[in-house]
Amino acid sequence: MKLGIIGCGAIGTDVAIAADCMNGIETLYLFDKDPAAAQRVASRCKKAKVTRSVEEFLPEVMVVFEAASQEAVSQYGELVLAAGRDLIIMSIGSLFDPRLLKRLEDTARERHCRIYLPSGAVCGIDGIFAASMAQLDNVTLVTTKPPESLGIQVDKRTVIFEGNARDAVKQFPKNINVAACLSLAGLGFDKTHVEIVADPVSTRIDHRILAHGQFGRLRAEVENMPNPQNPKSSYMASLSAIAALHKILNPIQII
Ligand SMILES: NC(=O)c1ccc[n+]([C@@H]2O[C@H](COP(=O)([O-])OP(=O)(O)OC[C@H]3O[C@@H](n4cnc5c(N)ncnc54)[C@H](O)[C@@H]3O)[C@@H](O)[C@H]2O)c1
């Protein structure tokens, strides 16, 4: 399989290096609005080629992996799907815009291709999705981060946001993709409750999901190590993206 990557930052780099070692991947095409970033990643891979645009690699690839920004999803999402290519989206926060979500969904349906949303930095999405097949009453995400990872300074544990996932994603677009993924798996952006906490004592990025419904109760917690290349990202986000590629390539699916 030939893979196109949009965004060669922390996650794009981890995924490119992992994909470069996968037997099922023949060629990797790398695009970043900063050509030096794509070049840096290419220099660490054997199968990678740098391209000047998404349009340049689109006819070649089967799957496109986005790890750039919300803006990149609106810029390239439809283009990729209209070309009949599957799309893996990491900037899931972009999908809080219902018009963009519908356009992408409709295009994927028309062109018989898929949009994959890796579970990212959070664990328990599988349980929430399964639980949503029956009555799901409440889903809450509590995200606790070191203040610097939120770009602020506080001297004690401070709740900096409490509200629904739609507002969380709008106010913290770079930090709260997990809220978007959780919403899409469960109760939607308006009914998923989110708390974001800045804690100067914490060294990890902690996501806790609490839910109850007809299935019973769910509590899932992960304490994430920051990505060494970008302290705002959790390393687990890169791993979930790499796992998504494995799923696409392998006949056995853990779903
Ligand atoms: N789903 C999750 O759980 C999860 C977790 C962490 C990060 N993310 C999201 O994934 C994305 C990538 O994260 P990262 O930590 O690798 O970020 P990063 O800042 O390290 O890298 C992003 C790269 O994308 C490039 N880029 C940005 N906009 C672009 C565009 N329009 N066209 C082409 N290139 C563009 C930048 O130049 C940069 O090199 C971000 O949107 C982030 O919010 C999702």
Side-chain angles (χ1 to χ4, degrees):
M1 182 183 93
K2 293 177 180 170
L3 175 73
I5 295 184
I6 306 173
C8 298
I11 297 176
T13 302
D14 290 338
V15 168
I17 290 169
D20 199 50
C21 300
M22 290 181 193
N23 286 336
I25 303 275
E26 274 168 69
T27 313
L28 288 170
Y29 295 91
L30 306 176
F31 170 69
D32 196 295
K33 67 179 181 185
D34 170 12
Q39 211 62 60
R40 267 194 303 276
V41 178
S43 70
R44 299 175 66 184
C45 299
K46 290 191 289 290
K47 302 174 187 168
K49 294 181 181 169
V50 173
T51 65
R52 278 163 305 177
S53 66
V54 172
E55 288 85 344
E56 193 182 322
F57 70 58
L58 212 44
E60 308 296 330
V61 301
M62 240 178 89
V63 177
V64 175
F65 174 75
E66 176 280 329
S69 57
Q70 292 194 12
E71 181 201 41
V73 178
S74 15
Q75 245 176 313
Y76 304 116
E78 264 181 290
L79 179 79
V80 167
L81 297 164
R85 279 28 179 186
D86 291 341
L87 176 63
I88 308 172
I89 296 178
M90 288 309 289
S91 306
I92 301 175
S94 58
L95 304 179
F96 86 91
D97 173 357
R99 286 158 306 180
L100 177 64
L101 178 62
K102 183 163 182 338
R103 283 206 308 274
L104 296 182
E105 246 182 317
D106 289 349
T107 313
R109 230 176 238 121
E110 267 165 38
R111 301 293 294 142
H112 305 290
C113 47
R114 289 187 194 281
I115 302 167
Y116 296 101
L117 307 178
S119 52
V122 80
C123 298
I125 295 287
D126 53 344
I128 294 295
F129 187 53
S132 73
M133 299 297 128
Q135 163 101 13
L136 178 58
D137 298 316
N138 189 283
V139 181
T140 298
L141 170 73
V142 183
T143 292
T144 306
K145 294 191 171 200
E148 59 275 18
S149 133
L150 290 156
I152 58 168
Q153 282 194 323
V154 289
D155 50 18
K156 63 176 175 29
R157 190 180 183 281
T158 311
V159 177
I160 59 163
F161 176 87
E162 206 174 347
N164 68 22
R166 186 173 300 283
D167 293 336
V169 168
K170 270 190 216 158
Q171 288 182 39
F172 298 89
K174 292 200 173 142
N175 286 290
I176 205 74
N177 287 288
V178 292
C181 191
L182 184 63
S183 301
L184 291 165
L187 289 178
F189 285 94
D190 295 315
K191 290 190 185 149
T192 302
H193 187 75
V194 176
E195 275 178 42
I196 303 175
V197 181
D199 188 347
V201 175
S202 75
T203 50
R204 309 250 164 106
I205 300 167
D206 181 292
H207 295 295
R208 202 173 342 139
I209 295 175
L210 307 158
H212 59 82
Q214 210 177 338
F215 72 99
R217 282 180 193 278
L218 177 149
R219 244 181 262 159
E221 182 166 10
V222 58
E223 287 179 35
N224 283 309
M225 296 296 286
N227 190 310
Q229 300 177 72
N230 178 357
K232 288 183 183 167
S233 269
S234 300
Y235 186 46
M236 177 65 105
S238 289
L239 298 178
S240 84
I242 296 166
L245 270 186
H246 273 283
K247 274 188 196 165
I248 292 171
L249 289 169
N250 287 336
I252 294 179
Q253 300 281 310
I254 299 168
I255 52 173

mmCIF file of all heavy atoms in Angstrom, residues 31 33 39 55 135 143 192 195 208 235:
data_model
loop_
_atom_site.group_PDB
_atom_site.id
_atom_site.type_symbol
_atom_site.label_atom_id
_atom_site.label_comp_id
_atom_site.label_asym_id
_atom_site.label_seq_id
_atom_site.Cartn_x
_atom_site.Cartn_y
_atom_site.Cartn_z
ATOM 1 N N PHE A 31 3.839 15.344 2.965
ATOM 2 C CA PHE A 31 3.574 16.747 2.664
ATOM 3 C C PHE A 31 3.412 17.513 3.965
ATOM 4 O O PHE A 31 2.725 17.067 4.884
ATOM 5 C CB PHE A 31 2.305 16.915 1.814
ATOM 6 C CG PHE A 31 1.885 18.351 1.700
ATOM 7 C CD1 PHE A 31 2.661 19.250 0.969
ATOM 8 C CD2 PHE A 31 0.759 18.820 2.350
ATOM 9 C CE1 PHE A 31 2.304 20.599 0.893
ATOM 10 C CE2 PHE A 31 0.395 20.170 2.272
ATOM 11 C CZ PHE A 31 1.177 21.052 1.543
ATOM 12 N N LYS A 33 3.176 21.911 5.173
ATOM 13 C CA LYS A 33 3.236 23.293 4.674
ATOM 14 C C LYS A 33 4.623 23.881 4.928
ATOM 15 O O LYS A 33 5.024 24.835 4.271
ATOM 16 C CB LYS A 33 2.117 24.140 5.271
ATOM 17 C CG LYS A 33 2.229 24.381 6.736
ATOM 18 C CD LYS A 33 1.092 25.256 7.215
ATOM 19 C CE LYS A 33 1.255 25.513 8.702
ATOM 20 N NZ LYS A 33 0.180 26.244 9.308
ATOM 21 N N GLN A 39 11.067 17.250 4.852
ATOM 22 C CA GLN A 39 12.435 16.839 4.502
ATOM 23 C C GLN A 39 13.120 16.137 5.675
ATOM 24 O O GLN A 39 13.783 15.114 5.502
ATOM 25 C CB GLN A 39 13.218 18.102 4.103
ATOM 26 C CG GLN A 39 14.297 17.876 3.065
ATOM 27 C CD GLN A 39 13.750 17.381 1.733
ATOM 28 O OE1 GLN A 39 12.951 18.066 1.123
ATOM 29 N NE2 GLN A 39 14.158 16.197 1.317
ATOM 30 N N GLU A 55 -2.250 17.274 -3.797
ATOM 31 C CA GLU A 55 -2.686 16.896 -5.156
ATOM 32 C C GLU A 55 -1.615 16.062 -5.857
ATOM 33 O O GLU A 55 -1.938 15.174 -6.630
ATOM 34 C CB GLU A 55 -2.976 18.150 -5.999
ATOM 35 C CG GLU A 55 -4.235 18.893 -5.609
ATOM 36 C CD GLU A 55 -4.032 19.888 -4.466
ATOM 37 O OE1 GLU A 55 -3.002 19.806 -3.755
ATOM 38 O OE2 GLU A 55 -4.906 20.741 -4.281
ATOM 39 N N GLN A 135 -29.277 2.474 25.588
ATOM 40 C CA GLN A 135 -29.428 3.766 26.272
ATOM 41 C C GLN A 135 -28.129 4.140 26.998
ATOM 42 O O GLN A 135 -27.660 3.397 27.865
ATOM 43 C CB GLN A 135 -30.578 3.634 27.275
ATOM 44 C CG GLN A 135 -30.635 4.690 28.321
ATOM 45 C CD GLN A 135 -31.687 5.759 28.010
ATOM 46 O OE1 GLN A 135 -32.524 5.567 27.132
ATOM 47 N NE2 GLN A 135 -31.606 6.859 28.705
ATOM 48 N N THR A 143 -9.967 15.799 31.839
ATOM 49 C CA THR A 143 -8.597 15.830 31.325
ATOM 50 C C THR A 143 -7.752 16.693 32.259
ATOM 51 O O THR A 143 -8.088 17.858 32.497
ATOM 52 C CB THR A 143 -8.584 16.433 29.904
ATOM 53 O OG1 THR A 143 -9.233 15.515 29.033
ATOM 54 C CG2 THR A 143 -7.174 16.658 29.400
ATOM 55 N N THR A 192 -21.869 15.530 25.631
ATOM 56 C CA THR A 192 -20.690 14.982 26.323
ATOM 57 C C THR A 192 -20.119 16.075 27.225
ATOM 58 O O THR A 192 -19.829 17.180 26.766
ATOM 59 C CB THR A 192 -19.631 14.528 25.293
ATOM 60 O OG1 THR A 192 -20.245 13.560 24.439
ATOM 61 C CG2 THR A 192 -18.413 13.923 25.958
ATOM 62 N N GLU A 195 -14.384 18.331 31.515
ATOM 63 C CA GLU A 195 -13.680 19.201 32.467
ATOM 64 C C GLU A 195 -12.213 19.198 32.087
ATOM 65 O O GLU A 195 -11.645 18.118 31.845
ATOM 66 C CB GLU A 195 -13.784 18.633 33.891
ATOM 67 C CG GLU A 195 -15.034 19.013 34.608
ATOM 68 C CD GLU A 195 -15.092 18.367 35.984
ATOM 69 O OE1 GLU A 195 -14.063 18.326 36.697
ATOM 70 O OE2 GLU A 195 -16.178 17.872 36.320
ATOM 71 N N ARG A 208 -9.633 10.827 32.013
ATOM 72 C CA ARG A 208 -10.518 9.888 32.708
ATOM 73 C C ARG A 208 -11.897 9.964 32.066
ATOM 74 O O ARG A 208 -12.450 11.061 31.914
ATOM 75 C CB ARG A 208 -10.600 10.262 34.191
ATOM 76 C CG ARG A 208 -11.024 9.104 35.039
ATOM 77 C CD ARG A 208 -10.949 9.372 36.530
ATOM 78 N NE ARG A 208 -10.133 10.497 36.919
ATOM 79 C CZ ARG A 208 -10.496 11.362 37.872
ATOM 80 N NH1 ARG A 208 -11.632 11.225 38.525
ATOM 81 N NH2 ARG A 208 -9.700 12.355 38.194
ATOM 82 N N TYR A 235 2.063 10.665 23.798
ATOM 83 C CA TYR A 235 2.708 9.657 22.950
ATOM 84 C C TYR A 235 1.687 8.609 22.499
ATOM 85 O O TYR A 235 1.747 8.092 21.386
ATOM 86 C CB TYR A 235 3.878 9.030 23.722
ATOM 87 C CG TYR A 235 4.692 8.079 22.897
ATOM 88 C CD1 TYR A 235 5.102 8.409 21.609
ATOM 89 C CD2 TYR A 235 5.057 6.824 23.402
ATOM 90 C CE1 TYR A 235 5.839 7.522 20.841
ATOM 91 C CE2 TYR A 235 5.799 5.935 22.638
ATOM 92 C CZ TYR A 235 6.186 6.287 21.362
ATOM 93 O OH TYR A 235 6.902 5.410 20.594
#
